[in-house]
Each structure stands twice: as C-alpha cells, then as structure tokens.
Amino acid sequence: MSEATEETRNVKFSRVGDSEKLTKELSNLDGVIGLLIAEDWLEVSYDAAQIQWKGIEQVITNNQFELKSDLLSKWKRSWYQYSDVNVRDNFNHKPHCCNKPPK
C-alpha cells in the first residue's frame, strides 16, 4: 500500500443498524485499514487502489444503515467516489515516453 492511495472518509447516518455486524464486514474487506463507528457517523480509512468508496457504501447500506440524504452529504459521497476512481486510475497508469505515441 502506498500513502498516496490511502483515504479517510467520514459519513453520517440517519438511522443506525447493527454496528457490530457492520464493523465485522467492513474489517473483512480487502484494503480497509481502520474504522471508527460512533452513534451517528462512521470514519473509515482504506487503500483506494484496492477498494473503492462505492463498495464500502454498499456494505453500509446492506447492513440497514441509511446514509444522510441531504444535498451536502450526497455531494460529498459523489466526490469520494469520483476521487477514488482517479486514485485507482492514476495508480494503475503506465507512463509512456514523451517522444512515442501511447500504445
């Protein structure tokens, strides 16, 4: 893992399900480095080259947690997803010589 691909994300819940089950499932995902779950929010650190925010969000919603649906929260989660795709793509990019066209 590279420090350049490590991300830490925070999200708020509007309703909380079984936090022990969620902690166990998120901890078992490849690439998840750390978790902190409070009463109404989650902080997760992960390697964006191995796992994307979309996969983490799906585990959260599959465990009966409803993420806040206000405009700022939706925008923030969309930004997480967008930046994770960029991190993954940049991590996997093979640079080419400036004098040669890409293959």
Side-chain angles (χ1 to χ4, degrees), residues 11-12 53 57 67-81:
V11 292
K12 290 193 173 220
W53 173 253
E57 189 172 317
L67 299 171
K68 286 277 193 181
S69 61
D70 59 74
L71 187 60
L72 182 60
S73 296
K74 287 180 180 180
W75 180 85
K76 191 164 79 167
R77 291 194 316 268
S78 294
W79 180 256
Y80 290 166
Q81 186 175 346

